[in-house]
Amino acid sequence: MFEKDMMFPVLLDTYGGLLTDRKREVLDYYYNEDYSLAEISELTGISRQGVRDCIKKGEDEIYFFESKLNIAKKNREHATVIDNISLLLEEISKYADGPTNDMLHEIGSMLNTLRSIDKSDGDAQE
């Protein structure tokens, strides 16, 4: 049996909409529902070997998309930058006066909006 990439569900969320319905369904069962090949075979009517092949082909497609587009990587990088800015804002706000603190909170709200946009980008692909 092959080893599961535990970061793969993020890639599946990002690129799943580019796969056939069948591949997306099988990968969802395997990665998100943690079903065995036998369980997926039973649910889909595909042979156990067919399920394994479908998973492998779907993974290959998704890894190809990420190698060319790097959307998931960029989203992780954006999240890291946003988190670092948020931490700096918290530190600065300890020393800020009222109006400045209000502006810092507004910047924090804008960063939270960016966070939610980055998280919803994967959903929008489907």
Side-chain angles (χ1 to χ4, degrees):
M1 192 57 217
F2 47 102
E3 195 74 23
K4 277 188 184 179
D5 176 355
M6 299 317 291
M7 290 302 295
F8 192 81
V10 173
L11 295 174
L12 183 56
D13 286 345
T14 304
Y15 299 108
L18 300 174
L19 299 174
T20 64
D21 291 342
R22 176 65 84 184
K23 284 179 188 165
R24 186 173 52 251
E25 175 187 37
V26 168
L27 288 169
D28 181 59
Y29 283 146
Y30 187 69
Y31 280 100
N32 296 327
E33 303 298 328
D34 202 28
Y35 288 172
S36 68
L37 298 182
E39 290 170 320
I40 298 169
S41 174
E42 208 171 290
L43 285 167
T44 61
I46 304 172
S47 70
R48 191 178 174 284
Q49 183 60 44
V51 169
R52 187 193 183 294
D53 291 345
C54 187
I55 290 170
K56 181 68 176 123
K57 287 176 184 173
E59 287 173 339
D60 288 347
E61 285 181 43
I62 284 181
Y63 287 129
F64 173 78
F65 296 143
E66 178 63 9
S67 74
K68 297 299 179 191
L69 302 172
N70 290 308
I71 293 170
K73 179 184 175 193
K74 289 173 187 172
N75 285 347
R76 283 191 308 273
E77 291 170 352
H78 291 169
T80 300
V81 170
I82 289 169
D83 289 344
N84 289 338
I85 293 170
S86 294
L87 289 172
L88 288 171
L89 286 174
E90 285 178 31
E91 284 299 309
I92 293 169
S93 71
K94 292 177 185 176
Y95 307 103
D97 61 5
T100 304
N101 216 348
D102 291 344
M103 286 187 281
L104 293 172
H105 285 307
E106 182 63 28
I107 293 169
S109 294
M110 291 176 191
L111 291 173
N112 286 332
T113 300
L114 283 175
R115 261 192 204 101
S116 65
I117 291 169
D118 274 354
K119 287 181 183 176
S120 69
D121 275 348
D123 298 336
Q125 304 281 330
E126 294 180 21

